[in-house]
Amino acid sequence: MISIVTAAILVIGDEILSGRTKDKNIGYIAEYLTNIGIDLKEVRVVPDEEDEIVNALNALRNRYTYVFTTGGIGPTHDDITADSVAKAFGVPIDVDPRARAIMEENYKTRGIEMNEARLRMARMPVGSDLLKANQGPPGFKIGNVFVMAGVPSIMQVMLDSAAPMLATGAKMLSESVRGDVREGDIGTELGEIAKLHPDTSIGSYPFFDEKTGPNTNLVVRARDAAKLAAAKADIETMLTRVRAALKVSA
């Protein structure tokens, strides 16, 4: 039986919703998870509001194998992700001595004062495991939730730290076929092929070719190589037939 592991991303921050900050983490995490056999199923973006974070987190962690959060673990008053995660799990939050020791050593070598604001970043829900960071405070894991920084360079190190803790499933295989037809020329035929291959995912992605005009790329995904090949073969046969009817050369 094929093992399927699922995940969601919860992006936290008013600055994302306002457009002031452009998210650079979703695509990175999505590709990272796909490459190790985890299906990203959902992404949500919520403001820096406790109830919104708690409600979204509880919904996602009960629906998917893993949840990855980004943002809201900095030193300021509106960084409330850690508190919200603790509330979602119903556990206390306090300064984690392991996190504090890591931060104090890091700040000492950089000549930075460990003040009250920075100490807030060492507060974690009781029972958490730490996620390594390349500078400053670590992220943390509790249950099936991985809490990471919003800064891409820091988040990426935390995600690498999380990877050994993840169960992975069968990897999704993918093949791409250039259509050399318009998307509307093959919509009906492609739907019929999709029905014949229920264990595959078939996507149609229009693009504009500067030399030939409107065109379409078709992408087939499946976990089984033989099923992937069969669906791809049917698509190629269909494309040959449609091009001939339209008198279009590949």
Side-chain angles (χ1 to χ4, degrees):
M1 183 176 179
I2 294 177
S3 174
I4 299 177
V5 182
T6 60
I9 299 173
L10 181 61
V11 181
I12 301 166
D14 293 338
E15 69 278 9
I16 299 294
L17 290 168
S18 70
R20 182 178 180 86
T21 298
K22 306 297 186 290
D23 181 89
K24 297 180 180 179
N25 293 323
I26 294 172
Y28 183 92
I29 297 172
E31 184 175 6
Y32 193 104
L33 296 180
T34 296
N35 288 339
I36 61 174
I38 297 177
D39 288 1
L40 179 63
K41 292 293 189 179
E42 186 173 348
V43 176
R44 293 195 193 185
V45 184
V46 294
D48 296 307
E49 298 176 15
E50 185 178 84
D51 287 346
E52 295 285 346
I53 298 170
V54 170
N55 291 338
L57 185 61
N58 281 335
L60 295 172
R61 71 188 182 94
N62 288 317
R63 187 175 300 163
Y64 303 112
T65 313
Y66 300 117
V67 180
F68 298 86
T69 79
T70 62
I73 59 173
T76 59
H77 71 282
D78 59 344
D79 288 308
I80 60 171
T81 296
D83 297 87
S84 301
V85 172
K87 184 173 181 179
F89 278 88
V91 298
I93 184 170
D94 203 351
V95 172
D96 187 301
R98 300 165 299 170
R100 180 172 187 163
I102 291 170
M103 292 170 63
E104 286 178 340
E105 179 64 25
N106 182 278
Y107 289 148
K108 181 179 178 181
T109 61
R110 296 162 62 194
I112 298 174
E113 176 190 1
M114 180 64 155
N115 58 22
E116 184 178 348
R118 294 189 177 98
L119 189 59
R120 288 188 78 249
M121 296 188 286
R123 297 168 64 252
M124 297 179 181
V126 173
S128 297
D129 296 315
L130 303 187
L131 299 178
K132 180 182 178 182
N134 56 345
Q135 57 180 314
F140 63 87
K141 169 191 176 294
I142 180 168
N144 63 338
V145 177
F146 295 81
V147 178
M148 306 183 296
V151 177
S153 60
I154 302 175
M155 182 283 296
Q156 291 168 16
V157 175
M158 291 180 177
L159 189 57
D160 283 338
S161 178
M165 306 179 194
L166 301 172
T168 56
K171 292 184 179 180
M172 186 69 77
L173 307 175
S174 177
E175 290 279 2
S176 180
V177 180
R178 180 183 169 106
D180 287 313
V181 291
R182 293 177 174 85
E183 190 175 37
D185 296 329
I186 56 171
T188 301
E189 291 85 350
L190 200 61
E192 293 301 319
I193 292 174
K195 291 178 183 178
L196 293 173
H197 300 276
D199 293 326
T200 67
S201 171
I202 300 174
S204 173
Y205 304 96
F207 68 97
F208 189 84
D209 187 303
E210 292 184 357
K211 293 183 178 179
T212 61
N215 209 319
T216 310
N217 279 325
L218 305 175
V219 178
V220 191
R221 299 180 180 88
R223 287 187 166 82
D224 184 286
K227 292 178 179 178
L228 179 73
K232 181 185 178 185
D234 281 356
I235 288 173
E236 290 174 332
T237 299
M238 177 271 291
L239 287 172
T240 299
R241 185 176 65 252
V242 172
R243 289 190 204 114
L246 296 173
K247 296 181 173 54
V248 174
S249 58

